[in-house]
């Protein structure tokens, strides 16, 4: 049995006290020091602690595993704990460091991280939150690492766990059929948002230093906003999504979730790069560089931001869009059903953030002409649902287990179909007035230009034209339309579906966006501010986010509880 860091420190402190003839304190000094040094530790600070030989990698990893042991039974952030492999990798790094032959250390050397459960980790089950991928004998066992996981490992990061998520990321809250519910670190009764809720709770609760999220309509940014974290949606194509079980591969993206902008930027630089397994990355301009260089001196002075009018008005954009065949009158009804009111308390928090931006030297322009409701109408015609199965088949072809490499093979082998969103059989998406969406292959579909590519180009052109016309550096808006709901009681007469955002338009055009902490509601739950910018201006966007972070009060660490009333299942033990 592996002895925990707390146990080791307790024994060593007790021996020291015994030899001196003194009475042992209730909490050993070494434990207090570790908690003080490692709570909310940043990547640069952790690297300095290693350089000063204050801690070994094994001690740091064990401290984070102890946090999982202590709190995961309440918060349900980690679905699978990778204890043995994490400690083995930590021991390897410590041995190299002791010999002095470890060579140059990567930017995440010895940094404990979590990986979202839809992201392939070689030899582990990619549950994607769905019980169908955990069926005995038919598990989705990853044959190799997702591209970003391989990059994390090469940078020296140590994976301590796989984070819980809703089934195939298809929810705004964090309940999975493969594991259960994740609670918000700031109040376990409340939602952390979905679908990266497990990652944000793990990072906010210090079960890891950072992690990767995935985002199809808001799933990095909205959860980050609920938990006072930094969540990054990179320009689509900057970071490979190869090896990530898709929700909607034409909208999917992955990026870092961290406690500080600097940590997020370090992780983003590790994750970025071209990948032959993800054609979108091959289109990235060679001139694009992701680095923390110059970030420390970035400023908001002279920056000019616009507030999208359609978000403030609550104009909805239907998820997966509306195909061209749907008549305009019917499309209007579908759009109206997707409308999402900006709640009064959230509007008030946003206006406080606008005042803070202005106080930091930025100009914020609020006008009905900046991305008006007509922009949301334009965005609604970017239709992607017909290609859901295509994305699933592409993923399984390379990252499926030996027994199945397509949706059809899964059904043949298991005797049951894949999750409904994975194969595009949700009736409310595929049956629309004037259109019936049968699943197709994007590359051979004659309707792809009319339904997806042309509307997307038009939408991106309007986005960039507005930046040009108004001479803007970016847009600023609430990351969520409401505060996180209390999931211990019904919301609007039914089980909570989580907090909702009006930010899925970012996925449709793939422009960079980042969420930063911007204060707390009266309840103590965090509010998140989102910034977006021009395509491939990720480095500049991170600089602006860093300048915001330096100009405003830091996040308040959540107060965790050891026991709760809401049931959580025990985490799996990784292979």
């Amino acid at each position: 049995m592996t002895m925990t860091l707390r146990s080791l420190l307790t024994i060593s402190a007790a021996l020291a006290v015994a030899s001196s003839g003194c009475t042992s304190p209730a909490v050993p000094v070494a434990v207090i020091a570790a908690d003080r040094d490692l709570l909310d530790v940043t990547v640069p600070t952790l690297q300095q602690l290693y350089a000063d030989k204050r801690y070994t990698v094994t001690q740091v990893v064990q401290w984070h595993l102890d946090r999982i042991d202590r709190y995961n039974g309440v918060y349900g952030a980690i679905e699978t704990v990778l204890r043995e492999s994490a400690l083995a990798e930590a021991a390897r790094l410590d041995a190299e460091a002791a010999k002095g032959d470890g060579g140059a250390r990567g930017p995440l050397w010895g940094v404990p991280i979590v990986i979202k459960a839809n992201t392939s980790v070689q030899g582990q089950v990619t549950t994607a939150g769905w019980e169908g991928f955990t069926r005995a004998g038919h598990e989705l066992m990853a044959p190799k690492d997702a591209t970003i996981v391989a990059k994390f490992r090469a940078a020296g990061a140590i994976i301590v766990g796989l984070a819980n998520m809703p089934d195939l990321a298809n929810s705004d809250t964090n309940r999975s059929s493969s594991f259960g519910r994740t609670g918000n670190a700031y109040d376990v009764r409340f939602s952390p948002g979905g679908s990266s809720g497990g990652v944000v709770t793990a990072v906010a609760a210090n079960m890891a230093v950072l992690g990767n999220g995935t985002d199809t309509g808001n799933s990095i940014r909205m959860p980050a906003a609920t938990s006072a974290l930094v969540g990054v949606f990179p320009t689509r194509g900057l970071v490979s999504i190869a090896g990530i079980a898709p929700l909607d591969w034409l909208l999917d993206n992955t990026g870092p979730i961290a406690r500080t902008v600097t940590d997020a930027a370090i992780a983003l630089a590790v994750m970025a790069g071209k990948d032959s397994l993800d054609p979108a990355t091959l289109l990235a301009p060679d001139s694009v560089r992701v680095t923390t260089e110059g970030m420390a001196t970035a400023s908001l002075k002279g920056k000019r931001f616009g507030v999208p009018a359609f978000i403030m008005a609550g104009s909805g954009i239907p998820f997966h869009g509306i195909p061209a065949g749907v008549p305009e009158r019917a499309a209007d009804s579908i759009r109206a059903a997707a409308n999402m009111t900006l709640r009064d308390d959230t509007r008030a928090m946003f206006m406080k953030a606008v005042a803070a931006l202005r106080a930091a030297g930025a100009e914020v322009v609020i006008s009905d002409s900046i991305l008006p409701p007509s922009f949301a109408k334009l965005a609604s015609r970017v239709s992607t649902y017909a290609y859901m199965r295509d994305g699933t088949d592409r993923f399984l072809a390379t990252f499926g287990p030996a027994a199945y490499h397509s949706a059809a093979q899964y059904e043949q082998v298991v005797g049951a179909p894949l999750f409904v969103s994975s194969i595009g059989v949700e009736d409310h998406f595929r049956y629309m007035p004037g259109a019936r969406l049968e699943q197709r292959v994007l590359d051979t579909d004659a309707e792809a230009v009319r339904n997806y590519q042309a509307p997307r180009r038009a939408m991106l052109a309007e986005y960039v034209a507005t930046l040009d016309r108004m001479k803007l550096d970016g847009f600023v808006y609430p990351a969520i339309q409401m505060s996180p709901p209390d999931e211990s009681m019904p919301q609007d007469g039914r089980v909570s579906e989580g907090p909702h955002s009006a930010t899925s338009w970012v996925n449709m055009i793939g422009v960079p966006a980042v969420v930063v902490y911007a204060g707390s509601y009266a309840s103590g739950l965090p509010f998140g501010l989102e910034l977006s910018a021009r395509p491939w201006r990720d480095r500049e966007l991170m600089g602006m986010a860093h300048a915001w972070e330096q100009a405003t009060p830091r996040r308040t660490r959540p107060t965790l509880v050891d026991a709760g009333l809401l049931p959580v299942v025990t985490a799996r033990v990784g292979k």
Side-chain angles (χ1 to χ4, degrees):
M1 180 181 293
T2 303
M3 189 171 289
T4 67
L5 174 61
R6 187 170 291 270
S7 298
L8 288 169
L9 293 173
T10 300
I11 291 172
S12 62
L15 289 173
V17 169
S19 64
S20 66
C22 299
T23 303
S24 176
V27 181
V29 173
V31 172
I32 295 172
D35 286 350
R36 181 194 62 228
D37 292 340
L38 299 181
L39 277 171
D40 283 359
V41 71
T42 64
V43 171
T45 299
L46 183 56
Q47 300 300 344
Q48 191 60 54
L49 289 172
Y50 286 145
D52 294 341
K53 302 188 186 306
R54 292 272 298 278
Y55 296 94
T56 65
V57 180
T58 298
Q59 287 173 327
V60 170
V61 168
Q62 186 65 68
W63 185 87
H64 285 87
L65 288 170
D66 286 349
R67 297 280 296 184
I68 295 173
D69 290 343
R70 184 176 180 184
Y71 295 112
N72 200 57
V74 175
Y75 294 92
I78 305 298
E79 179 176 14
T80 306
V81 181
L82 303 183
R83 189 182 315 278
E84 290 188 8
S85 60
L87 289 172
E89 179 63 12
R92 185 184 72 80
L93 294 184
D94 283 335
E96 287 182 353
K99 292 178 182 177
D101 60 359
R105 294 182 176 181
L108 293 176
W109 191 88
V111 176
I113 68 170
V114 289
I115 298 294
K116 191 172 175 179
N118 60 352
T119 306
S120 302
V121 174
Q122 185 175 20
Q124 304 298 329
V125 178
T126 309
T127 71
W130 183 50
E131 60 186 355
F133 283 146
T134 67
R135 288 177 175 144
H138 302 299
E139 296 94 340
L140 178 49
M141 191 72 68
K144 61 180 180 177
D145 285 338
T147 299
I148 60 163
V149 172
K151 286 176 173 285
F152 277 135
R153 291 194 200 272
I158 296 179
I159 305 168
V160 295
L162 308 181
N164 188 36
M165 58 177 284
D167 297 36
L168 273 300
N170 198 25
S171 176
D172 279 346
T173 192
N174 222 82
R175 288 186 292 265
S176 70
S177 62
S178 68
F179 181 62
R181 175 186 180 270
T182 299
N184 191 304
Y186 283 83
D187 189 325
V188 71
R189 298 170 300 170
F190 288 76
S191 175
S195 62
S196 301
V199 176
V200 299
T201 296
V203 174
N206 278 271
M207 298 177 190
V209 175
L210 55 88
N212 82 296
T214 65
D215 192 316
T216 309
N218 57 33
S219 288
I220 288 172
R221 295 160 292 142
M222 182 257 278
T226 74
S227 301
L229 298 179
V230 178
V232 182
F233 182 101
T235 301
R236 179 66 187 98
L238 183 68
V239 176
S240 173
I241 62 171
I244 297 174
L247 172 52
D248 182 333
W249 68 292
L250 296 178
L251 304 176
D252 291 343
N253 203 356
T254 186
I257 292 172
R259 291 186 291 264
T260 68
V261 174
T262 297
D263 283 4
I266 292 170
L268 180 61
V270 167
M271 299 169 77
K274 296 179 186 292
D275 177 16
S276 61
L277 292 176
D278 182 356
T281 65
L282 305 181
L283 303 176
D286 292 333
S287 59
V288 172
R289 290 190 318 123
V290 181
T291 174
T292 57
E293 248 177 71
M295 199 167 71
T297 57
S299 173
L300 290 171
K301 289 181 179 178
K303 299 299 181 185
R304 184 174 161 91
F305 298 98
V307 177
F310 82 92
I311 292 179
M312 303 302 285
S315 300
I317 301 174
F319 193 36
H320 305 301
I322 305 170
V326 176
E328 196 59 30
R329 179 174 294 182
D332 282 340
S333 296
I334 296 170
R335 294 185 193 105
N339 285 346
M340 196 176 302
T341 302
L342 180 63
R343 302 285 176 86
D344 289 344
D345 56 346
T346 301
R347 186 183 296 271
M349 291 297 299
F350 175 65
M351 295 312 297
K352 287 181 182 178
V354 167
L357 278 169
R358 288 170 173 161
E363 184 178 357
V364 181
V365 183
I366 301 176
S367 168
D368 290 343
S369 67
I370 298 176
L371 299 186
S374 60
F375 179 78
K377 186 174 182 178
L378 182 67
S380 71
R381 287 296 188 173
V382 180
S383 178
T384 60
Y385 195 73
Y387 313 108
M388 301 287 279
R389 184 191 292 262
D390 187 14
T392 296
D393 286 344
R394 290 170 186 250
F395 164 73
L396 289 175
T398 303
F399 291 91
Y404 51 88
H405 291 282
S406 68
Q409 287 181 3
Y410 177 92
E411 184 166 5
Q412 182 180 14
V413 169
V414 177
L418 278 171
F419 189 67
V420 288
S421 68
S422 300
I423 53 178
V425 295
E426 297 159 290
D427 287 347
H428 59 289
F429 287 122
R430 62 175 176 166
Y431 297 129
M432 293 189 184
R436 175 172 173 165
L437 294 181
E438 300 295 349
Q439 291 300 297
R440 308 162 185 172
V441 175
L442 180 68
D443 293 343
T444 59
D445 180 27
E447 294 293 305
V449 171
R450 189 166 76 113
N451 282 321
Y452 169 63
Q453 292 159 350
R456 183 181 185 276
R457 284 194 295 268
M459 183 184 170
L460 179 58
E462 180 61 26
Y463 176 88
V464 173
T466 303
L467 290 168
D468 290 341
R469 184 179 71 254
M470 303 294 294
K471 296 181 172 53
L472 301 174
D473 294 286
F475 297 101
V476 60
Y477 43 93
I480 321 179
Q481 299 292 92
M482 61 197 68
S483 60
D486 183 346
E487 295 188 318
S488 66
M489 61 180 67
Q491 303 293 314
D492 301 322
R494 61 182 184 274
V495 175
S496 169
E497 297 171 351
H500 301 301
S501 80
T503 62
S504 63
W505 58 277
V506 171
N507 303 72
M508 292 174 161
I509 50 178
V511 296
V514 60
V515 165
V516 289
Y517 171 65
S520 297
Y521 292 96
S523 65
L525 294 169
F527 166 78
L529 183 72
E530 184 163 335
L531 307 170
S532 67
R534 296 172 187 269
W536 310 113
R537 297 287 181 85
D538 300 67
R539 187 164 65 90
E540 291 88 339
L541 181 62
M542 296 303 288
M544 290 186 284
H546 183 266
W548 163 268
E549 187 178 67
Q550 299 308 302
T552 56
R554 298 296 177 91
R555 64 188 283 274
T556 300
R557 184 186 305 138
T559 301
L560 305 181
V561 294
D562 291 303
L565 298 176
L566 299 176
V568 177
V569 295
T570 303
R572 293 183 177 84
V573 176
K575 298 181 184 298

